[in-house]
Amino acid sequence: MADKLASVADAVAALVRDGDSLVIGACLEAAIPFAAVHEIIRQGRRGLNAIAPISDAATDMLIGAGCVERVTGAWVGNVSGGLAHNYRRAAEQGLPHPIAIEDHSNFSLAMALMAGANGLPYVPVRSLLGSDILKTNRRLIRADDPFSPGKPVILVPACKPDVAILPVQRSDRDGNCHFWGSLVLVQEAALAAERVILLADEIVDTSVIVSDPNRILFPSFRVSAVCPARAGCHPSSLTGVWRRDTPFFVEYHTRSRDREGFLSWLREWVFDVEGHEAYLDKLGDRLERLRITGWAPPEPVNFAAV
Amino acid sequence: MGYSPREMMIIAASREIRDGEVVFVGMRLPLAAFGVAARTHAPNAIGLFENGLARFAPAVEPFDTMSDPPNIHGAAWATGMVQIMGRLHAGQVDVGFIGGAEVDRHGNVNTSYVGDPARPRVKLPGSGGAADIAATCGRLLVIMDHEPKRLVERVDFVTSPGWLDGGESRSAAGLDRGGVAAIITNLAILRPMGPDHGMGLASIHPGVSRQQAIDATGWPLAVAPDAGETPPPTEAELAALRAIDPEGFWR
């Protein structure tokens, strides 16, 4: 079994390249890998294609920091604040530079990643018929359904990201891991991406993971690096471990309203912070107050062989 | 008991949900309406969330987003987006419930672009799951504040299809079910009228004049012959809403 442990900084340096298409979290408002987002900004990656159904403020930060050339997504905003200011500035004024937007709905993006994960060239759907999303995303093609003559379908091409960065509650050193809660597109993203980086809130022994194989969403042979990163998802939540830091999102929203304010936020929370450990130190007591202290384990199930 | 126009809106919306229905629920106003329905006349309704959750009733602990731990604890299903959006696509969802930035005469909703998409005046966040909900659920309910700049003659961009251009245009586009059943606002309830499916005034909330609703609508608002007053909230409905809104956010 391989040892894939790496720091967030080393994993980003080795596995995220300029021009990559990148899934930055696949779990809507939860489990967004902010620690890796900050590192990508520090290391100055450029020309990224940011893929996510919804990645809350993470996509907005990458856009504002100039890392993004294309957004492939269903929703880009700040769930606790409203519209995403950097996204708006890029789309409306070309600041800090123009971006291409590949509009999707949740279902079309889900189908694209599912196709990418399973070697399907495309998936025909009926959702998006009648939507102007077909006018702005020319890769979604209207065709006749060969099995129901006269009925149209939309062909959604497969999405095969270069990299998926995914927070998980626990992993062993090889990338055998557990993720639970709402699963959104975590499984599809991990199975579709060329390289997978895990931000593991806790490193555990392999025996913990294989004791519950149904909670494994993808096999370790899909994983390139395992980064021990307690609260690597802050300020987003992680089921059973961290609550959402809503005031943090609100503060980001307020300060990013103008470009100057965003850049000062970026200095304070990204550039003037050496790495993830220093970020956690800066959060101080605030982080502990977000820890889930309740305990609601499921009833055990039996996997005995005989 | 006194109540606010927004409480009236949420309670009117909750009445659109029938007992036993499978309901696709958006955050905030739709979630509040589902919560009232589940606690009053529709205890057997089940709510689906686009992040892969199903619930029999909203969580009791406060939460800000549908992915927060309280919404997951005690869920009736915690799965992925393929499986949950697939229920919609397979025609297994009775009602979809969304909010809207901008809606038009035929119930089309825009949450993508104001102005030309190539150089938008405002870039809105996008579809999320709304385009899928509008295309494939059995009945679409739209809940939003009633303002002329938000209820417009024609949206700049159809993110989520309603009756499209009216008449048979929705089925001609290949959508063989669904369509907007109601727009529920803080002033009134609008429903599709006649073969054109243009949204007209079906019911006016207590204390609101017909003219007020007409003035707050960006298209010439037809009035249904049987348009009457929305029944005011009952004690039970208000109690249900306040149980899930102890801070009085919607008051």
Short mmCIF file of all heavy atoms in Angstrom, two decimals, chain A residues 97-161:
data_model
loop_
_atom_site.label_atom_id
_atom_site.label_comp_id
_atom_site.label_asym_id
_atom_site.label_seq_id
_atom_site.Cartn_x
_atom_site.Cartn_y
_atom_site.Cartn_z
N HIS A 97 -9.49 40.09 -15.09
CA HIS A 97 -9.43 39.84 -16.54
C HIS A 97 -10.72 39.11 -16.92
O HIS A 97 -11.41 38.54 -16.07
CB HIS A 97 -8.17 39.05 -16.91
CG HIS A 97 -8.05 37.73 -16.20
ND1 HIS A 97 -8.80 36.62 -16.50
CD2 HIS A 97 -7.26 37.35 -15.15
CE1 HIS A 97 -8.47 35.63 -15.70
NE2 HIS A 97 -7.56 36.04 -14.86
N PRO A 98 -11.07 39.11 -18.19
CA PRO A 98 -12.33 38.45 -18.59
C PRO A 98 -12.26 36.94 -18.36
O PRO A 98 -11.18 36.35 -18.39
CB PRO A 98 -12.43 38.75 -20.09
CG PRO A 98 -11.46 39.85 -20.36
CD PRO A 98 -10.38 39.72 -19.34
N ILE A 99 -13.42 36.34 -18.11
CA ILE A 99 -13.48 34.89 -17.97
C ILE A 99 -14.54 34.34 -18.91
O ILE A 99 -15.48 35.04 -19.27
CB ILE A 99 -13.84 34.46 -16.52
CG1 ILE A 99 -15.13 35.14 -16.05
CG2 ILE A 99 -12.69 34.74 -15.56
CD1 ILE A 99 -15.70 34.57 -14.76
N ALA A 100 -14.36 33.08 -19.31
CA ALA A 100 -15.40 32.39 -20.07
C ALA A 100 -16.30 31.67 -19.07
O ALA A 100 -15.83 31.19 -18.03
CB ALA A 100 -14.76 31.39 -21.02
N ILE A 101 -17.60 31.65 -19.36
CA ILE A 101 -18.54 30.99 -18.46
C ILE A 101 -19.25 29.87 -19.22
O ILE A 101 -19.85 30.11 -20.26
CB ILE A 101 -19.59 31.99 -17.92
CG1 ILE A 101 -18.88 33.06 -17.08
CG2 ILE A 101 -20.65 31.26 -17.09
CD1 ILE A 101 -19.78 34.21 -16.66
N GLU A 102 -19.12 28.66 -18.71
CA GLU A 102 -19.83 27.53 -19.30
C GLU A 102 -20.98 27.19 -18.35
O GLU A 102 -20.80 26.54 -17.33
CB GLU A 102 -18.87 26.35 -19.47
CG GLU A 102 -19.47 25.21 -20.27
CD GLU A 102 -18.43 24.16 -20.69
OE1 GLU A 102 -17.31 24.53 -21.11
OE2 GLU A 102 -18.74 22.97 -20.58
N ASP A 103 -22.18 27.70 -18.69
CA ASP A 103 -23.35 27.54 -17.82
C ASP A 103 -23.85 26.10 -17.82
O ASP A 103 -23.95 25.46 -18.86
CB ASP A 103 -24.50 28.43 -18.31
CG ASP A 103 -24.29 29.89 -17.98
OD1 ASP A 103 -23.90 30.18 -16.83
OD2 ASP A 103 -24.52 30.74 -18.87
N HIS A 104 -24.18 25.64 -16.65
CA HIS A 104 -24.80 24.33 -16.49
C HIS A 104 -25.96 24.46 -15.50
O HIS A 104 -26.06 25.45 -14.77
CB HIS A 104 -23.80 23.33 -15.90
CG HIS A 104 -22.94 22.64 -16.92
ND1 HIS A 104 -23.34 21.51 -17.59
CD2 HIS A 104 -21.71 22.95 -17.38
CE1 HIS A 104 -22.38 21.13 -18.42
NE2 HIS A 104 -21.38 21.98 -18.33
N SER A 105 -26.78 23.42 -15.44
CA SER A 105 -27.66 23.23 -14.29
C SER A 105 -27.01 22.16 -13.43
O SER A 105 -26.05 21.50 -13.85
CB SER A 105 -29.04 22.75 -14.74
OG SER A 105 -28.95 21.44 -15.27
N ASN A 106 -27.53 21.98 -12.23
CA ASN A 106 -26.99 20.92 -11.39
C ASN A 106 -27.03 19.58 -12.10
O ASN A 106 -26.08 18.80 -12.06
CB ASN A 106 -27.82 20.79 -10.10
CG ASN A 106 -27.45 21.85 -9.08
OD1 ASN A 106 -26.46 22.55 -9.22
ND2 ASN A 106 -28.27 21.97 -8.06
N PHE A 107 -28.16 19.29 -12.76
CA PHE A 107 -28.31 17.96 -13.36
C PHE A 107 -27.37 17.77 -14.54
O PHE A 107 -26.76 16.71 -14.69
CB PHE A 107 -29.76 17.72 -13.80
CG PHE A 107 -30.05 16.29 -14.17
CD1 PHE A 107 -29.92 15.28 -13.23
CD2 PHE A 107 -30.44 15.94 -15.45
CE1 PHE A 107 -30.18 13.94 -13.56
CE2 PHE A 107 -30.71 14.61 -15.78
CZ PHE A 107 -30.58 13.61 -14.84
N SER A 108 -27.20 18.81 -15.36
CA SER A 108 -26.31 18.63 -16.51
C SER A 108 -24.86 18.47 -16.06
O SER A 108 -24.11 17.66 -16.62
CB SER A 108 -26.46 19.77 -17.53
OG SER A 108 -26.04 21.00 -17.01
N LEU A 109 -24.47 19.21 -15.02
CA LEU A 109 -23.10 19.03 -14.52
C LEU A 109 -22.92 17.66 -13.87
O LEU A 109 -21.89 17.00 -14.03
CB LEU A 109 -22.73 20.14 -13.53
CG LEU A 109 -21.25 20.24 -13.21
CD1 LEU A 109 -20.43 20.54 -14.47
CD2 LEU A 109 -20.98 21.30 -12.16
N ALA A 110 -23.97 17.21 -13.17
CA ALA A 110 -23.93 15.88 -12.57
C ALA A 110 -23.79 14.81 -13.65
O ALA A 110 -22.98 13.87 -13.53
CB ALA A 110 -25.19 15.62 -11.74
N MET A 111 -24.53 14.97 -14.74
CA MET A 111 -24.47 13.99 -15.83
C MET A 111 -23.10 14.05 -16.52
O MET A 111 -22.55 13.02 -16.91
CB MET A 111 -25.57 14.27 -16.85
CG MET A 111 -26.97 13.96 -16.35
SD MET A 111 -27.25 12.20 -15.95
CE MET A 111 -27.11 12.22 -14.18
N ALA A 112 -22.53 15.26 -16.66
CA ALA A 112 -21.22 15.40 -17.31
C ALA A 112 -20.15 14.67 -16.50
O ALA A 112 -19.30 13.96 -17.06
CB ALA A 112 -20.87 16.88 -17.45
N LEU A 113 -20.18 14.82 -15.17
CA LEU A 113 -19.18 14.14 -14.33
C LEU A 113 -19.46 12.64 -14.26
O LEU A 113 -18.52 11.83 -14.24
CB LEU A 113 -19.15 14.77 -12.93
CG LEU A 113 -18.46 16.13 -12.85
CD1 LEU A 113 -18.72 16.80 -11.51
CD2 LEU A 113 -16.95 16.00 -13.09
N MET A 114 -20.73 12.27 -14.23
CA MET A 114 -21.06 10.85 -14.24
C MET A 114 -20.56 10.20 -15.53
O MET A 114 -19.99 9.09 -15.50
CB MET A 114 -22.58 10.66 -14.12
CG MET A 114 -23.01 9.20 -14.02
SD MET A 114 -24.81 9.00 -14.18
CE MET A 114 -24.98 9.05 -15.97
N ALA A 115 -20.72 10.90 -16.64
CA ALA A 115 -20.23 10.38 -17.92
C ALA A 115 -18.70 10.28 -17.88
O ALA A 115 -18.12 9.26 -18.29
CB ALA A 115 -20.69 11.28 -19.06
N GLY A 116 -18.06 11.32 -17.37
CA GLY A 116 -16.60 11.30 -17.28
C GLY A 116 -16.10 10.16 -16.40
O GLY A 116 -15.05 9.56 -16.66
N ALA A 117 -16.86 9.86 -15.36
CA ALA A 117 -16.45 8.81 -14.41
C ALA A 117 -16.60 7.43 -15.01
O ALA A 117 -15.95 6.48 -14.57
CB ALA A 117 -17.27 8.92 -13.14
N ASN A 118 -17.44 7.29 -16.00
CA ASN A 118 -17.80 5.96 -16.49
C ASN A 118 -17.50 5.73 -17.97
O ASN A 118 -17.98 4.75 -18.55
CB ASN A 118 -19.29 5.69 -16.21
CG ASN A 118 -19.57 5.65 -14.72
OD1 ASN A 118 -19.14 4.73 -14.05
ND2 ASN A 118 -20.24 6.66 -14.20
N GLY A 119 -16.76 6.63 -18.56
CA GLY A 119 -16.36 6.44 -19.94
C GLY A 119 -17.48 6.59 -20.96
O GLY A 119 -17.38 6.09 -22.07
N LEU A 120 -18.55 7.27 -20.58
CA LEU A 120 -19.63 7.55 -21.54
C LEU A 120 -19.26 8.83 -22.29
O LEU A 120 -18.89 9.81 -21.66
CB LEU A 120 -20.96 7.77 -20.81
CG LEU A 120 -21.36 6.73 -19.76
CD1 LEU A 120 -22.61 7.19 -19.02
CD2 LEU A 120 -21.60 5.38 -20.42
N PRO A 121 -19.35 8.86 -23.60
CA PRO A 121 -18.98 10.09 -24.31
C PRO A 121 -19.92 11.25 -24.00
O PRO A 121 -19.52 12.40 -23.96
CB PRO A 121 -19.06 9.69 -25.79
CG PRO A 121 -19.85 8.43 -25.83
CD PRO A 121 -19.71 7.76 -24.50
N TYR A 122 -21.19 10.96 -23.80
CA TYR A 122 -22.17 11.99 -23.48
C TYR A 122 -23.39 11.32 -22.87
O TYR A 122 -23.53 10.09 -22.93
CB TYR A 122 -22.57 12.81 -24.72
CG TYR A 122 -23.11 11.99 -25.85
CD1 TYR A 122 -24.44 11.63 -25.91
CD2 TYR A 122 -22.26 11.57 -26.88
CE1 TYR A 122 -24.95 10.86 -26.95
CE2 TYR A 122 -22.75 10.80 -27.93
CZ TYR A 122 -24.09 10.44 -27.95
OH TYR A 122 -24.58 9.67 -28.98
N VAL A 123 -24.27 12.13 -22.29
CA VAL A 123 -25.52 11.61 -21.71
C VAL A 123 -26.68 12.41 -22.30
O VAL A 123 -26.65 13.64 -22.29
CB VAL A 123 -25.53 11.75 -20.18
CG1 VAL A 123 -26.85 11.25 -19.60
CG2 VAL A 123 -24.37 10.99 -19.55
N PRO A 124 -27.70 11.74 -22.83
CA PRO A 124 -28.87 12.47 -23.32
C PRO A 124 -29.84 12.77 -22.17
O PRO A 124 -30.15 11.89 -21.38
CB PRO A 124 -29.51 11.49 -24.31
CG PRO A 124 -29.07 10.13 -23.83
CD PRO A 124 -27.80 10.29 -23.05
N VAL A 125 -30.28 14.03 -22.06
CA VAL A 125 -31.22 14.40 -20.99
C VAL A 125 -32.38 15.21 -21.58
O VAL A 125 -32.28 15.75 -22.69
CB VAL A 125 -30.53 15.24 -19.89
CG1 VAL A 125 -29.32 14.51 -19.33
CG2 VAL A 125 -30.14 16.62 -20.38
N ARG A 126 -33.48 15.28 -20.83
CA ARG A 126 -34.60 16.14 -21.25
C ARG A 126 -34.63 17.45 -20.45
O ARG A 126 -35.25 18.42 -20.86
CB ARG A 126 -35.92 15.39 -21.11
CG ARG A 126 -36.01 14.22 -22.07
CD ARG A 126 -37.44 13.85 -22.42
NE ARG A 126 -37.50 12.53 -23.02
CZ ARG A 126 -37.22 12.28 -24.30
NH1 ARG A 126 -36.87 13.26 -25.11
NH2 ARG A 126 -37.29 11.06 -24.77
N SER A 127 -33.96 17.44 -19.30
CA SER A 127 -33.82 18.69 -18.56
C SER A 127 -33.05 19.66 -19.46
O SER A 127 -32.25 19.23 -20.29
CB SER A 127 -33.04 18.42 -17.27
OG SER A 127 -33.23 19.47 -16.37
N LEU A 128 -33.27 20.94 -19.28
CA LEU A 128 -32.63 22.04 -20.04
C LEU A 128 -33.32 22.31 -21.36
O LEU A 128 -33.05 23.33 -22.00
CB LEU A 128 -31.14 21.81 -20.29
CG LEU A 128 -30.26 21.91 -19.04
CD1 LEU A 128 -28.81 21.67 -19.41
CD2 LEU A 128 -30.43 23.25 -18.37
N LEU A 129 -34.23 21.44 -21.81
CA LEU A 129 -35.07 21.80 -22.96
C LEU A 129 -35.82 23.08 -22.58
O LEU A 129 -36.35 23.19 -21.47
CB LEU A 129 -36.06 20.68 -23.29
CG LEU A 129 -35.45 19.42 -23.91
CD1 LEU A 129 -36.46 18.27 -23.86
CD2 LEU A 129 -35.02 19.68 -25.35
N GLY A 130 -35.83 24.05 -23.47
CA GLY A 130 -36.55 25.29 -23.19
C GLY A 130 -35.74 26.32 -22.43
O GLY A 130 -36.18 27.44 -22.25
N SER A 131 -34.55 25.96 -21.97
CA SER A 131 -33.74 26.91 -21.19
C SER A 131 -32.75 27.63 -22.10
O SER A 131 -32.16 27.02 -23.00
CB SER A 131 -32.98 26.19 -20.08
OG SER A 131 -32.07 27.07 -19.45
N ASP A 132 -32.53 28.93 -21.81
CA ASP A 132 -31.53 29.69 -22.57
C ASP A 132 -30.10 29.29 -22.23
O ASP A 132 -29.16 29.78 -22.86
CB ASP A 132 -31.73 31.20 -22.32
CG ASP A 132 -32.95 31.74 -23.05
OD1 ASP A 132 -33.42 31.07 -23.99
OD2 ASP A 132 -33.42 32.83 -22.68
N ILE A 133 -29.92 28.41 -21.25
CA ILE A 133 -28.58 27.88 -20.97
C ILE A 133 -28.00 27.26 -22.25
O ILE A 133 -26.80 27.30 -22.49
CB ILE A 133 -28.64 26.87 -19.80
CG1 ILE A 133 -28.88 27.62 -18.49
CG2 ILE A 133 -27.36 26.03 -19.72
CD1 ILE A 133 -29.12 26.72 -17.29
N LEU A 134 -28.89 26.74 -23.11
CA LEU A 134 -28.44 26.15 -24.38
C LEU A 134 -27.85 27.21 -25.31
O LEU A 134 -27.08 26.89 -26.20
CB LEU A 134 -29.61 25.46 -25.08
CG LEU A 134 -30.26 24.32 -24.29
CD1 LEU A 134 -31.47 23.80 -25.05
CD2 LEU A 134 -29.26 23.20 -24.05
N LYS A 135 -28.22 28.48 -25.09
CA LYS A 135 -27.68 29.54 -25.94
C LYS A 135 -26.29 29.98 -25.50
O LYS A 135 -25.48 30.39 -26.32
CB LYS A 135 -28.61 30.76 -25.93
CG LYS A 135 -29.95 30.50 -26.59
CD LYS A 135 -30.82 31.76 -26.56
CE LYS A 135 -32.20 31.46 -27.12
NZ LYS A 135 -33.16 32.54 -26.77
N THR A 136 -26.02 29.91 -24.19
CA THR A 136 -24.71 30.37 -23.72
C THR A 136 -23.71 29.22 -23.59
O THR A 136 -22.52 29.45 -23.59
CB THR A 136 -24.81 31.11 -22.37
OG1 THR A 136 -25.52 30.27 -21.44
CG2 THR A 136 -25.53 32.42 -22.52
N ASN A 137 -24.20 28.00 -23.47
CA ASN A 137 -23.29 26.84 -23.42
C ASN A 137 -23.49 26.03 -24.69
O ASN A 137 -24.36 25.17 -24.77
CB ASN A 137 -23.55 25.98 -22.18
CG ASN A 137 -22.57 24.83 -22.07
OD1 ASN A 137 -21.83 24.53 -23.02
ND2 ASN A 137 -22.56 24.17 -20.93
N ARG A 138 -22.65 26.30 -25.68
CA ARG A 138 -22.80 25.66 -27.00
C ARG A 138 -22.34 24.21 -27.00
O ARG A 138 -22.46 23.53 -28.01
CB ARG A 138 -22.02 26.45 -28.06
CG ARG A 138 -22.53 27.88 -28.22
CD ARG A 138 -23.88 27.88 -28.91
NE ARG A 138 -24.38 29.25 -29.10
CZ ARG A 138 -25.48 29.53 -29.77
NH1 ARG A 138 -26.21 28.57 -30.27
NH2 ARG A 138 -25.86 30.78 -29.90
N ARG A 139 -21.77 23.76 -25.89
CA ARG A 139 -21.37 22.35 -25.81
C ARG A 139 -22.55 21.45 -25.45
O ARG A 139 -22.43 20.23 -25.49
CB ARG A 139 -20.22 22.18 -24.81
CG ARG A 139 -18.88 22.63 -25.39
CD ARG A 139 -17.80 22.81 -24.34
NE ARG A 139 -17.70 21.70 -23.40
CZ ARG A 139 -17.12 20.52 -23.66
NH1 ARG A 139 -16.60 20.29 -24.84
NH2 ARG A 139 -17.06 19.59 -22.74
N LEU A 140 -23.65 22.04 -25.05
CA LEU A 140 -24.88 21.26 -24.83
C LEU A 140 -25.64 21.26 -26.15
O LEU A 140 -26.07 22.32 -26.63
CB LEU A 140 -25.71 21.89 -23.71
CG LEU A 140 -25.01 22.00 -22.35
CD1 LEU A 140 -25.83 22.86 -21.40
CD2 LEU A 140 -24.77 20.61 -21.75
N ILE A 141 -25.79 20.09 -26.74
CA ILE A 141 -26.31 20.02 -28.11
C ILE A 141 -27.70 19.39 -28.13
O ILE A 141 -27.93 18.33 -27.54
CB ILE A 141 -25.33 19.21 -28.99
CG1 ILE A 141 -24.00 19.96 -29.08
CG2 ILE A 141 -25.93 18.96 -30.38
CD1 ILE A 141 -22.91 19.17 -29.76
N ARG A 142 -28.61 20.07 -28.82
CA ARG A 142 -29.96 19.54 -29.00
C ARG A 142 -29.95 18.55 -30.15
O ARG A 142 -29.39 18.83 -31.22
CB ARG A 142 -30.89 20.72 -29.30
CG ARG A 142 -32.35 20.45 -29.14
CD ARG A 142 -33.11 21.72 -29.56
NE ARG A 142 -34.40 21.34 -30.09
CZ ARG A 142 -35.54 21.41 -29.37
NH1 ARG A 142 -35.51 21.90 -28.15
NH2 ARG A 142 -36.67 21.02 -29.90
N ALA A 143 -30.56 17.37 -29.95
CA ALA A 143 -30.57 16.35 -31.01
C ALA A 143 -31.91 15.62 -30.98
O ALA A 143 -32.67 15.75 -30.01
CB ALA A 143 -29.42 15.36 -30.78
N ASP A 144 -32.18 14.86 -32.01
CA ASP A 144 -33.39 14.03 -32.02
C ASP A 144 -33.10 12.74 -31.26
O ASP A 144 -32.04 12.14 -31.42
CB ASP A 144 -33.80 13.69 -33.46
CG ASP A 144 -34.53 14.86 -34.10
OD1 ASP A 144 -35.19 15.62 -33.37
OD2 ASP A 144 -34.41 15.03 -35.33
N ASP A 145 -34.04 12.33 -30.45
CA ASP A 145 -33.91 11.07 -29.73
C ASP A 145 -34.14 9.93 -30.72
O ASP A 145 -35.26 9.77 -31.23
CB ASP A 145 -34.95 11.03 -28.60
CG ASP A 145 -34.94 9.72 -27.83
OD1 ASP A 145 -34.21 8.79 -28.22
OD2 ASP A 145 -35.65 9.64 -26.81
N PRO A 146 -33.11 9.13 -31.02
CA PRO A 146 -33.30 8.10 -32.05
C PRO A 146 -34.32 7.03 -31.66
O PRO A 146 -34.85 6.33 -32.52
CB PRO A 146 -31.90 7.49 -32.20
CG PRO A 146 -31.18 7.84 -30.95
CD PRO A 146 -31.76 9.13 -30.46
N PHE A 147 -34.60 6.92 -30.37
CA PHE A 147 -35.55 5.89 -29.91
C PHE A 147 -36.97 6.43 -29.81
O PHE A 147 -37.91 5.68 -29.61
CB PHE A 147 -35.09 5.31 -28.57
CG PHE A 147 -33.77 4.59 -28.68
CD1 PHE A 147 -32.59 5.20 -28.27
CD2 PHE A 147 -33.70 3.32 -29.22
CE1 PHE A 147 -31.38 4.55 -28.38
CE2 PHE A 147 -32.49 2.65 -29.35
CZ PHE A 147 -31.32 3.27 -28.93
N SER A 148 -37.14 7.74 -29.83
CA SER A 148 -38.48 8.34 -29.80
C SER A 148 -38.53 9.41 -30.88
O SER A 148 -38.35 10.60 -30.58
CB SER A 148 -38.77 8.98 -28.43
OG SER A 148 -38.55 8.07 -27.40
N PRO A 149 -38.73 9.01 -32.12
CA PRO A 149 -38.69 9.97 -33.22
C PRO A 149 -39.57 11.19 -32.96
O PRO A 149 -40.68 11.05 -32.45
CB PRO A 149 -39.19 9.16 -34.42
CG PRO A 149 -38.89 7.73 -34.06
CD PRO A 149 -39.04 7.64 -32.57
N GLY A 150 -39.02 12.36 -33.27
CA GLY A 150 -39.77 13.59 -33.09
C GLY A 150 -39.57 14.22 -31.72
O GLY A 150 -39.99 15.34 -31.49
N LYS A 151 -38.93 13.47 -30.79
CA LYS A 151 -38.70 14.05 -29.45
C LYS A 151 -37.25 14.51 -29.33
O LYS A 151 -36.34 13.75 -29.65
CB LYS A 151 -39.00 13.00 -28.38
CG LYS A 151 -40.48 12.75 -28.18
CD LYS A 151 -40.72 12.12 -26.82
CE LYS A 151 -41.94 12.73 -26.15
NZ LYS A 151 -42.03 12.36 -24.74
N PRO A 152 -37.05 15.73 -28.86
CA PRO A 152 -35.68 16.21 -28.73
C PRO A 152 -35.03 15.75 -27.42
O PRO A 152 -35.73 15.46 -26.44
CB PRO A 152 -35.85 17.72 -28.72
CG PRO A 152 -37.20 17.94 -28.13
CD PRO A 152 -38.04 16.73 -28.50
N VAL A 153 -33.71 15.67 -27.44
CA VAL A 153 -32.94 15.48 -26.20
C VAL A 153 -31.77 16.46 -26.24
O VAL A 153 -31.43 16.99 -27.29
CB VAL A 153 -32.38 14.05 -26.04
CG1 VAL A 153 -33.48 13.06 -25.72
CG2 VAL A 153 -31.61 13.61 -27.27
N ILE A 154 -31.19 16.68 -25.07
CA ILE A 154 -29.97 17.49 -24.99
C ILE A 154 -28.82 16.54 -24.71
O ILE A 154 -28.89 15.74 -23.77
CB ILE A 154 -30.07 18.53 -23.85
CG1 ILE A 154 -31.31 19.41 -24.02
CG2 ILE A 154 -28.79 19.36 -23.76
CD1 ILE A 154 -31.34 20.22 -25.28
N LEU A 155 -27.76 16.62 -25.52
CA LEU A 155 -26.59 15.79 -25.29
C LEU A 155 -25.61 16.57 -24.41
O LEU A 155 -25.17 17.67 -24.76
CB LEU A 155 -25.92 15.43 -26.61
CG LEU A 155 -26.85 14.81 -27.68
CD1 LEU A 155 -26.05 14.43 -28.92
CD2 LEU A 155 -27.61 13.61 -27.11
N VAL A 156 -25.30 15.98 -23.25
CA VAL A 156 -24.36 16.61 -22.30
C VAL A 156 -23.03 15.87 -22.43
O VAL A 156 -22.95 14.68 -22.12
CB VAL A 156 -24.87 16.48 -20.86
CG1 VAL A 156 -23.89 17.12 -19.88
CG2 VAL A 156 -26.25 17.12 -20.72
N PRO A 157 -21.98 16.54 -22.91
CA PRO A 157 -20.70 15.85 -23.09
C PRO A 157 -20.02 15.53 -21.76
O PRO A 157 -20.22 16.24 -20.77
CB PRO A 157 -19.86 16.84 -23.90
CG PRO A 157 -20.43 18.18 -23.56
CD PRO A 157 -21.90 17.97 -23.29
N ALA A 158 -19.23 14.47 -21.74
CA ALA A 158 -18.53 14.06 -20.53
C ALA A 158 -17.57 15.14 -20.06
O ALA A 158 -16.98 15.86 -20.86
CB ALA A 158 -17.74 12.78 -20.80
N CYS A 159 -17.44 15.25 -18.75
CA CYS A 159 -16.46 16.16 -18.13
C CYS A 159 -15.42 15.30 -17.43
O CYS A 159 -15.77 14.50 -16.56
CB CYS A 159 -17.17 17.09 -17.14
SG CYS A 159 -16.04 18.16 -16.22
N LYS A 160 -14.17 15.44 -17.82
CA LYS A 160 -13.09 14.69 -17.18
C LYS A 160 -12.05 15.68 -16.65
O LYS A 160 -11.13 16.07 -17.36
CB LYS A 160 -12.44 13.73 -18.18
CG LYS A 160 -13.41 12.63 -18.63
CD LYS A 160 -12.82 11.74 -19.71
CE LYS A 160 -11.77 10.82 -19.11
NZ LYS A 160 -11.31 9.82 -20.11
N PRO A 161 -12.24 16.11 -15.41
CA PRO A 161 -11.35 17.14 -14.85
C PRO A 161 -9.91 16.62 -14.73
O PRO A 161 -9.69 15.43 -14.55
CB PRO A 161 -11.93 17.39 -13.46
CG PRO A 161 -13.28 16.74 -13.45
CD PRO A 161 -13.24 15.66 -14.46
#
